[in-house]
Amino acid sequence: MTAVDPRSALVLFSGGQDSTTCLAWALERYAKVETVGFDYGQRHAVELSCRGPVRDAMRRLSPRWAERLGDDHLLDASVLARIGATALTTEAAIGFDAEGLPNTFVPGRNLLFLILAAAVAARRNLTILVGGMCETDFSGYPDCRDDAVKAMQVALNLGMNRRFALETPLMWIDKAATWRLAATLGGAALVALVRDETHTCYLGDHRTRHGWGFGCGTCPACLLRARGYAAWRGDPEGQSG
Ligand code: ZN
């Protein structure tokens, strides 16, 4: 374990597997950690409802994390749902494109989240922004790519006259490695927390239980999570990836 970094961090925290792992990553590193989430429509209500319980469970998991975990901020980003709804009036029913993106996907969504998060961080004097953006599994999301995030760091620092550092611990790892990272950060207890308390399913199914957690089991997000879990379980020594 490395010495604690005295800086303060703001984690973009949705209540899903990736951002929960990022929250643990930040709690292990930084002296003070706050969280920010975005409410942008009904399809993610389940995920949002996981945020409070996950934060509480993180506190119970480690006294050190409990000491470091600070305020939560939930922002209204419903303008995104309105843009998505507008797009859907001219398209077919909700579905997934060739890259597994739901066609409700709004271009630039993660760019907007970073701007809003930076605005909160500026107000709260937090200098590190932590997000679960990842090129490995979701290369179809251009605003999750490393170059886009690095460009945003430059733009935010110029536009807000700050020295933010944007950290993306999952950028170059796949879902199996994300499970492995959770095990490294918080052992079996954190893996169980991620498995049982977080939500990833695009369809909002939080009743059907699988070995890898809750979800419909067939949407792209569930498949990714399930395959990653299976790959990690089959590779407990972390010799691949
Ligand atoms: Zn699903």
Side-chain angles (χ1 to χ4, degrees):
M1 191 189 310
T2 51
V4 64
D5 186 321
R7 293 176 295 175
S8 301
L10 180 65
V11 178
L12 283 77
F13 178 59
S14 67
Q17 176 185 358
D18 291 348
S19 65
T20 297
T21 306
C22 285
L23 178 55
W25 182 89
L27 287 168
E28 195 60 24
R29 263 168 192 71
Y30 301 109
K32 183 186 167 198
V33 178
E34 299 188 6
T35 52
V36 62
F38 305 98
D39 188 353
Y40 58 99
Q42 203 56 28
R43 290 172 65 78
H44 289 260
V46 175
E47 198 177 55
L48 282 182
S49 71
C50 293
R51 297 176 77 257
V54 168
R55 279 173 48 93
D56 292 344
M58 296 288 244
R59 281 202 183 91
R60 285 196 299 272
L61 206 141
S62 157
R64 193 171 67 248
W65 292 0
E67 204 172 284
R68 295 173 183 175
L69 182 57
D71 289 349
D72 181 41
H73 313 272
L74 185 63
L75 302 181
D76 181 358
S78 56
V79 62
L80 290 170
R82 290 204 291 279
I83 295 170
T86 305
L88 278 179
T89 59
T90 57
E91 290 177 13
I94 292 169
F96 302 97
D97 68 16
E99 291 169 320
L101 293 178
N103 61 8
T104 50
F105 171 72
V106 176
R109 186 186 67 177
N110 288 292
L111 299 181
L112 178 62
F113 288 172
L114 284 171
I115 293 170
L116 295 173
V120 170
R123 290 282 189 198
R124 306 284 300 173
N125 281 320
L126 310 168
T127 54
I128 311 291
L129 295 175
V130 183
M133 296 80 167
C134 173
E135 281 210 13
T136 314
D137 288 325
F138 275 120
S139 55
Y141 283 95
D143 57 352
C144 285
R145 292 179 190 151
D146 194 49
D147 283 352
V149 175
K150 284 189 163 68
M152 280 301 284
Q153 176 173 305
V154 174
L156 292 169
N157 284 330
L158 289 173
M160 298 190 190
N161 197 26
R162 297 275 165 166
R163 286 293 294 159
F164 293 124
L166 273 54
E167 297 285 353
T168 53
L170 310 184
M171 183 59 75
W172 306 111
I173 67 176
D174 62 13
K175 272 285 188 288
T178 302
W179 284 107
R180 193 181 309 136
L181 177 59
T184 304
L185 291 166
L190 182 61
V191 170
L193 189 165
V194 170
R195 187 187 60 218
D196 299 334
E197 304 285 348
T198 72
H199 182 85
T200 306
C201 177
Y202 279 144
L203 303 183
D205 183 338
H206 203 69
R207 283 183 301 184
T208 313
R209 176 98 202 254
H210 308 268
W212 43 266
F214 293 95
C216 73
T218 54
C219 78
C222 280
L223 289 177
L224 206 55
R225 178 169 168 146
R227 285 174 188 151
Y229 189 78
W232 169 66
R233 296 282 289 186
D235 177 29
E237 302 306 313
Q239 287 167 353
S240 70

